[in-house]
Amino acid sequence: MKFWDDIVQAALIGTAKQGLRAEHFPAPVAEKLQAAAGDDAESLFLKGLVLSAQFRRSGALPVDGSVAERWECPAETQAPCSERAAIILESLLDEGEPMLVHFWLDQCRARKLRVPAHLVAPLLQFVSSREELQDAAAACCGFTGNWLATFNSDWDFAAGVGGEERWRTGKAQERLAFLTKLRKQDPARARTLLMETWEEENAHQKAAFLEVLSIHLSNADLPWLEQLQGEKSEKVRAVRCELLKRLPDSKLVRAFADALQASISITRSKVVLGLIEQLNISITNPVSLSDEVQEAGIKLVQSDIYSAHPTLAALFRSTPPGMWANRFNERPEAIVSLFRNHVYYKNYLPEITKAVLHFQELAWIDVLGLRNEAPFDALIASALPAPLGLEYAWKRFAKAPREVVLFLRDAKYPWTIEQARTVLRFTTAEPYGYNKNFYLGIVWQLPEEIRFELGAFGPENVNHYWDTIKAEIEKILSLKAQILQSF
Amino acid sequence: MAPDASAAKSAKDLAHESRWASCGSGDRVLWGECKGSGAKNYRTQIDLAGIAFKCSCPSRKFPCKHGLGLFLLFVRDETLFTEQAPPDWVAEWMKKRQQREEKKAERADKPVDKEAQEKRRQKRGRRVEEGIADLQRWIKDIIRHGIVAAPEKEKTFWRDMSRRMVDAQAGGLASQIRKLGETDFTKENWQTVFLDRLAQLYLVTEAFSNIEKLSPEMQAEVRSWVGFGQQIEELRAREGVRDEWQILGRKLEQEDNVAIVRYWLYGIRSQQFALVLQFHVRGRAPAISLAPGTAVDAELVFYEGVLPFRAAIRTQFGLKPLSPPPALPDWQAVVEAETAWNSVSPFLEEKPVIVDKIRPAKLGGRWALLDEKNRAMFLPDDFGQFWNLLGQSGGRPSRLFLLGKEHSYTPLGIWSGGKYQLLG
């Protein structure tokens, strides 16, 4: 539109310096302007401007879009959630309440439903800065979410596993996000992709990508991790070592066990005229360690400490007890008894306990008596399979309510009405210690019907703050009930 | 509907069954008793036909959090509201509302002093003419010295002339001058935006100076652009259009302390658009509240003009479900319609259109809207609902309700999966 460009140029300079004559305007405009020939330069220009703007607008045509890049989202196969559930989600997003959004998403995911299209973008935006919600959101956003994520790197967490192009061509952060997501959904494929490009990555990326294998780490990763022995980068070697330390079947953990075996001696002897057989244990300080063990951070320390030699303590801590103990063909109970009854060696028991919990050696938990009269320990509760861990925790509620409540909050298993009463009797007595966020955090566990009993709880001296908290709990439980009914 | 963000937040807190001692619904009315901090529950009621609120709480906000909370609860879970005969306090309020409506109608029938009215009109006309003469000199000065200096102008340059127009009782011109000064001079094409606005302003002044030569409809249009409001009596005397009005869009603007809500409606039988403006001072009750995405059975009266979009609601009869309106088939039909509109009214304004089978696509590095014949219009650079549009359309052709002109169109709503969803 040259005529418009000329008008803009003339307008920029001003009629005092450069006027426009009628012939500079488009012919139909020029024709109309003849009637204003006697006007001053500004009037003539302004009239020409009005007519030309109208001329331009009326002549506007759509742009040729034949070269436009088009994308189409695959048709959804999952059914959408109910309209009522969608209305609730919309208001939760609007209210900015992450815990309840998380609860909503869990219900949606459990029923294999999806968020309706009009809420996908608002949901992705909502969770983009809330990592703890991203997996649940990605699972509920259907193909629309996967598809939208391909256009917006802030939503990488929702990109489908099919987006391997992103792994090959994306920026470092995009690739890391993709690999992390893939590892959560398909650990083997994630490992394969990483193996394919491994040699092309720089040390920094290698370390970052390798760390992703800590998600769903298993023996399937072991052969490749073992192969990476020759890696030059210290950072990469450190990440590999941390991964191997978590795999009891790795050569590294076996090397720890070998080192322990070399230091421990368990023998049988006869006492009381040879009538009774007795087990004896002796532990010598290690005199050498393999390079592999030393590279894993366990150094050979010269020490005269008999009670808990630092090198041995580290080895006990890093090795599944079953692995070294089985080599002596003795029952775990007998071995534990040897340690427990020895004046110095009993000091290694806390390290052995750490290894038991770390490697979740359930048999040893009982052998060490950790589930019996021991005080509540969140590590023990977490190491036990869910029903046993919960049983362990509930049994210790009276003695350690604070610690148990925190464990139960994070365990995300529903409570019976009686269990809920037990917790609320304790927490509502301390309204300043357990606020709205705490109750939002236990929305999964609390049965909705407890909301009708809230009047029975509260601190001894009822105060305004408790009233506020009570109203919040009512609201949370009412929303939970609405969410559950809406699905 | 909420008067401010805090009322909206509080309302959400109240949109739970546990916060209400009772709730119910009847013919075009909702009510509930909300548990408050006092001994007595707050009595809250909503007239669904006219969307009006009443509450016994002492809040000066309107609607108050209880009214909004009750409405939100109704939207979330209609089943909580059992249909029954309204209690006395609800029935009484509804009766009073009806009586007020009748009185209003009576007042409208009262004769007005035509002579005094004409005198006032002439006096104002003279003040506007004087103001317009000043404004034309000001516009010519800008053009004489060149618009290259416009971005450097102090705010007072625009504000002073805008105030001069307020003094001259030409509020419409004052608003256009404000808009001219608010041109985003950092944008690449600011010159065209600025010149379009300047041309529009000049056109209105020229048209007003020659108003006696124009048709009555065009005179009304020009007067409206200058800032003359149409007399409510004149408006009431006009023939109304009863229809199922689909509420397709809502845009909120804030001017000083006044909130302006622009509702875009489409009459399913009359096949015409209507623009209903709602002005209300912060914290005061809006006369009407419309819920986008629904339809209302109502009688509208249109303001006089050559392209009468602007309308007022005379009577609301109740809510209706939304039905899909007809759409233009492609962008070619849109530009033809726009040219036809321009030939009727030269005043520049974004026009409402419903267009079928439009899909978002990327063209030359910009997001565009593509029709079935591969012709495109562009989305404005500052369109904030892009991801929503993309998510709801899935990149597939969809029917859109848009506002725009020339090559730039803003989607306000989309028909997706058999439902209408607002964008924004």
Side-chain angles (χ1 to χ4, degrees):
Chain A
M1 275 187 301
K2 189 176 177 311
F3 76 91
W4 186 255
D5 293 339
D6 290 345
I7 289 171
V8 170
Q9 280 308 313
L12 281 167
I13 295 165
T15 48
K17 290 182 183 153
Q18 183 191 333
L20 274 184
R21 289 192 301 278
E23 57 267 30
H24 289 116
F25 293 102
V29 174
E31 196 185 317
K32 293 272 181 201
L33 280 180
Q34 280 173 3
D39 285 8
D40 57 59
E42 289 74 38
S43 297
L44 189 68
F45 182 89
L46 283 160
K47 284 172 184 167
L49 174 69
V50 168
L51 288 168
S52 300
Q54 181 72 3
F55 181 79
R56 189 200 72 215
R57 285 200 302 275
S58 299
L61 287 171
V63 179
D64 176 17
S66 52
V67 293
E69 297 170 65
R70 274 172 279 189
W71 304 274
E72 210 165 283
C73 175
E76 296 288 359
T77 49
Q78 269 175 295
C81 67
S82 72
E83 202 167 325
R84 245 184 93 199
I87 289 172
I88 293 174
L89 176 63
E90 193 169 11
S91 66
L92 292 177
L93 293 174
D94 207 25
E95 284 176 51
E97 194 40 82
M99 291 286 196
L100 288 167
V101 171
H102 200 167
F103 180 76
W104 189 101
L105 290 170
D106 278 355
Q107 307 312 309
C108 188
R109 177 153 65 166
R111 290 162 181 79
K112 295 190 166 45
L113 297 171
R114 68 176 165 85
V115 168
H118 72 281
L119 291 177
V120 172
L123 175 64
L124 293 178
Q125 192 53 38
F126 184 85
V127 304
S128 62
S129 57
R130 296 174 170 96
E131 215 179 321
E132 69 283 5
L133 271 71
Q134 291 177 353
D135 281 349
C140 297
C141 281
F143 292 135
T144 306
N146 302 156
W147 182 72
L148 282 179
T150 60
F151 302 105
N152 188 336
S153 59
D154 288 348
W155 300 345
D156 266 348
F157 59 87
V161 288
E164 290 184 8
E165 190 56 28
R166 181 159 290 195
W167 170 250
R168 281 183 280 274
T169 59
K171 292 175 190 162
Q173 278 307 312
E174 290 170 351
R175 298 181 70 213
L176 183 61
F178 171 81
L179 192 69
T180 307
K181 180 171 172 62
L182 182 62
R183 180 70 181 178
K184 286 175 187 169
Q185 296 183 5
D186 187 350
R189 183 67 191 147
R191 187 182 60 245
T192 307
L193 285 187
L194 184 55
M195 286 166 70
E196 281 171 9
T197 60
W198 184 254
E199 293 307 326
E200 297 151 28
E201 314 290 354
N202 62 37
H204 179 72
Q205 284 176 345
K206 277 183 177 178
F209 295 152
L210 198 60
E211 219 166 336
V212 172
L213 296 198
S214 65
I215 303 165
H216 298 314
L217 182 70
S218 73
N219 276 349
D221 302 311
L222 200 48
W224 185 56
L225 286 172
E226 301 281 19
Q227 276 176 34
L228 298 180
Q229 198 173 6
E231 279 298 317
K232 285 177 189 159
S233 157
E234 205 171 306
K235 235 182 193 175
V236 177
R237 285 206 307 271
V239 175
R240 171 182 171 269
C241 183
E242 286 307 313
L243 294 173
L244 290 173
K245 274 184 184 176
R246 286 176 49 192
L247 292 168
D249 291 340
S250 67
K251 282 183 194 162
L252 180 63
V253 175
R254 282 208 299 274
F256 293 159
D258 292 343
L260 276 176
Q261 194 184 4
S263 291
I264 301 169
S265 161
I266 294 176
T267 54
R268 286 178 179 272
S269 61
K270 301 269 185 179
V271 292
V272 192
L273 302 172
L275 292 173
I276 299 173
E277 199 174 55
Q278 181 180 285
L279 270 185
N280 306 299
I281 183 166
S282 88
I283 299 177
T284 53
N285 290 346
V287 287
S288 69
L289 288 175
S290 67
D291 292 347
E292 204 174 5
V293 171
Q294 295 201 59
E295 200 180 330
I298 298 179
K299 303 293 176 200
L300 193 60
V301 179
Q302 295 303 324
S303 169
D304 295 329
I305 303 168
Y306 290 102
S307 52
H309 188 277
T311 307
L312 284 170
L315 286 168
F316 275 120
R317 200 163 52 235
S318 310
T319 317
M323 186 170 270
W324 55 264
N326 291 348
R327 298 180 183 188
F328 297 106
N329 287 323
E330 296 294 346
R331 287 182 304 112
E333 291 82 353
I335 293 175
V336 167
S337 174
L338 284 175
F339 276 89
R340 197 168 271 153
N341 295 325
H342 196 280
V343 63
Y344 297 133
Y345 303 159
K346 68 180 178 193
N347 293 322
Y348 287 118
L349 281 172
E351 308 303 331
I352 295 171
T353 304
K354 281 178 192 163
V356 165
L357 296 175
H358 178 70
F359 291 101
Q360 304 203 343
E361 293 223 327
L362 300 183
W364 281 73
I365 286 180
D366 285 332
V367 169
L368 287 165
L370 299 178
R371 281 205 291 155
N372 300 338
E373 292 309 313
F376 178 78
D377 185 332
L379 281 175
I380 298 173
S382 308
L384 291 167
L388 295 178
L390 291 169
E391 187 193 330
Y392 168 85
W394 282 114
K395 275 186 181 168
R396 284 154 182 82
F397 190 92
K399 285 186 180 168
R402 266 183 197 80
E403 295 79 359
V404 172
V405 160
L406 288 181
F407 170 75
L408 294 171
R409 180 196 66 185
D410 298 336
K412 301 273 180 264
Y413 279 90
W415 301 339
T416 64
I417 191 92
E418 193 44 54
Q419 287 172 332
R421 285 178 192 136
T422 306
V423 173
L424 290 186
R425 263 193 294 273
F426 170 71
T427 57
T428 61
E430 296 184 16
Y432 294 103
Y434 297 93
N435 59 13
K436 177 189 170 187
N437 283 339
F438 168 77
Y439 292 102
L440 280 167
I442 56 170
V443 67
W444 282 263
Q445 294 92 324
L446 282 174
E448 311 91 85
E449 57 269 29
I450 195 83
R451 74 182 194 271
F452 303 115
E453 299 182 18
L454 288 178
F457 303 107
E460 266 184 38
N461 300 316
V462 176
N463 57 29
H464 177 66
Y465 191 67
W466 160 241
D467 287 341
T468 313
I469 297 280
K470 195 170 99 180
E472 292 293 351
I473 303 173
E474 276 175 354
K475 181 188 156 190
I476 291 164
L477 291 173
S478 157
L479 264 172
K480 178 179 180 177
Q482 282 183 36
I483 291 170
L484 291 172
Q485 283 162 19
S486 71
F487 275 101
Chain B
M1 286 184 190
D4 55 38
S6 109
K9 191 179 179 314
S10 307
K12 282 169 193 158
D13 287 343
L14 291 173
H16 302 287
E17 190 190 350
S18 59
R19 308 303 295 268
W20 296 86
S22 69
C23 46
S25 68
D27 180 29
R28 65 174 263 189
V29 66
L30 293 180
W31 64 89
E33 288 184 284
C34 185
K35 297 173 195 167
S37 49
K40 278 188 176 175
N41 291 332
Y42 294 126
R43 289 175 162 180
T44 310
Q45 42 209 315
I46 304 169
D47 177 353
L48 286 175
I51 310 286
F53 298 83
K54 186 176 182 340
C55 184
S56 62
C57 76
S59 171
R60 300 178 79 175
K61 290 182 185 175
F62 202 91
C64 69
K65 60 183 180 181
H66 308 102
L68 291 166
L70 185 71
F71 205 14
L72 194 55
L73 183 65
F74 178 68
V75 173
R76 278 181 180 169
D77 193 353
E78 226 173 287
T79 59
L80 296 172
F81 292 75
T82 44
E83 208 160 328
Q84 52 193 291
D88 289 349
W89 53 277
V90 178
E92 199 181 318
W93 178 61
M94 291 300 283
K95 196 176 156 191
K96 273 187 188 165
R97 278 185 63 74
Q98 205 175 339
Q99 285 168 349
R100 212 175 300 140
E101 286 296 318
E102 284 164 11
K103 272 187 190 166
K104 242 191 224 175
E106 275 173 30
R107 271 202 303 274
D109 294 339
K110 280 187 186 168
V112 287
D113 184 348
K114 295 258 178 192
E115 200 179 325
Q117 201 179 50
E118 182 55 26
K119 263 188 186 172
R120 282 198 300 274
R121 212 173 72 90
Q122 282 179 3
K123 190 179 170 195
R124 185 178 175 190
R126 280 195 299 277
R127 295 181 76 168
V128 171
E129 277 168 20
E130 286 165 18
I132 280 184
D134 286 351
L135 177 57
Q136 286 201 333
R137 272 193 292 279
W138 182 80
I139 294 172
K140 283 182 183 178
D141 271 353
I142 292 174
I143 283 300
R144 188 176 303 113
H145 296 115
I147 65 167
V148 71
E152 314 302 329
K153 298 280 186 201
E154 296 287 336
K155 277 184 183 169
T156 50
F157 177 78
W158 315 103
R159 196 177 58 206
D160 290 351
M161 183 46 72
S162 174
R163 283 181 177 167
R164 171 72 188 92
M165 289 305 107
V166 172
D167 291 344
Q169 292 185 281
L173 294 174
S175 160
Q176 289 174 64
I177 294 164
R178 264 201 304 276
K179 215 169 158 189
L180 184 68
E182 283 164 8
T183 304
D184 187 349
F185 293 110
T186 60
K187 284 205 170 161
E188 206 180 334
N189 69 335
W190 71 264
Q191 298 90 340
T192 293
V193 175
F194 184 84
L195 283 175
D196 277 349
R197 289 175 178 175
L198 195 69
Q200 163 83 349
L201 190 57
Y202 184 72
L203 175 63
V204 176
T205 62
E206 275 293 295
F208 191 79
S209 305
N210 296 284
I211 199 156
E212 68 285 354
K213 297 177 191 164
L214 305 174
S215 69
E217 292 81 15
M218 187 57 93
Q219 284 189 16
E221 184 98 23
V222 172
R223 288 170 64 80
S224 154
W225 277 96
V226 169
F228 287 88
Q230 284 187 23
Q231 293 295 321
I232 199 78
E233 296 81 16
E234 287 173 22
L235 199 60
R236 283 185 184 281
R238 294 177 71 80
E239 199 182 337
V241 183
R242 182 169 176 178
D243 204 338
E244 274 181 37
W245 294 97
Q246 320 277 301
I247 303 153
L248 298 182
R250 181 183 57 193
K251 273 179 106 175
L252 286 123
E253 288 166 22
Q254 189 78 33
E255 266 189 30
D256 300 326
N257 205 28
V258 179
I260 306 166
V261 191
R262 302 166 77 87
Y263 291 106
W264 278 103
L265 279 58
Y266 183 82
I268 208 79
R269 289 192 296 274
S270 58
Q271 301 204 350
Q272 61 181 324
F273 286 102
L275 173 64
V276 175
L277 296 189
Q278 174 70 66
F279 300 88
H280 64 101
V281 179
R282 217 178 140 91
R284 296 280 298 277
I288 52 153
S289 289
L290 300 172
T294 63
V296 60
D297 176 9
E299 187 182 9
L300 265 61
V301 274
F302 283 83
Y303 285 69
E304 197 180 4
V306 283
L307 266 180
F309 285 128
R310 173 97 193 266
I313 296 178
R314 180 184 274 163
T315 319
Q316 283 191 55
F317 301 98
L319 298 175
K320 291 274 175 186
L322 206 69
S323 7
L328 294 171
D330 53 30
W331 287 122
Q332 186 57 36
V334 172
V335 294
E336 283 168 13
E338 193 187 354
T339 301
W341 281 328
N342 288 340
S343 69
V344 178
S345 170
F347 298 103
L348 174 71
E349 269 250 85
E350 287 184 323
K351 309 279 194 317
V353 284
I354 299 168
V355 195
D356 216 3
K357 296 176 183 167
I358 297 294
R359 63 164 81 201
K362 211 159 194 182
L363 182 60
R366 288 180 67 188
W367 283 103
L369 298 165
L370 214 61
D371 70 9
E372 270 215 311
K373 293 174 180 163
N374 282 333
R375 279 176 294 204
M377 294 293 190
F378 291 103
L379 283 165
D381 293 337
D382 56 357
F383 177 55
Q385 294 294 319
F386 172 71
W387 295 110
N388 217 346
L389 169 68
L390 202 61
Q392 292 200 48
S393 68
R396 289 181 287 276
S398 310
R399 181 173 292 192
L400 298 180
F401 169 59
L402 313 105
L403 281 183
K405 62 181 195 296
E406 282 191 86
H407 292 122
S408 174
Y409 280 81
T410 306
L412 263 63
I414 180 171
W415 281 264
S416 158
K419 285 182 191 152
Y420 182 72
Q421 298 286 350
L422 272 195
L423 292 165

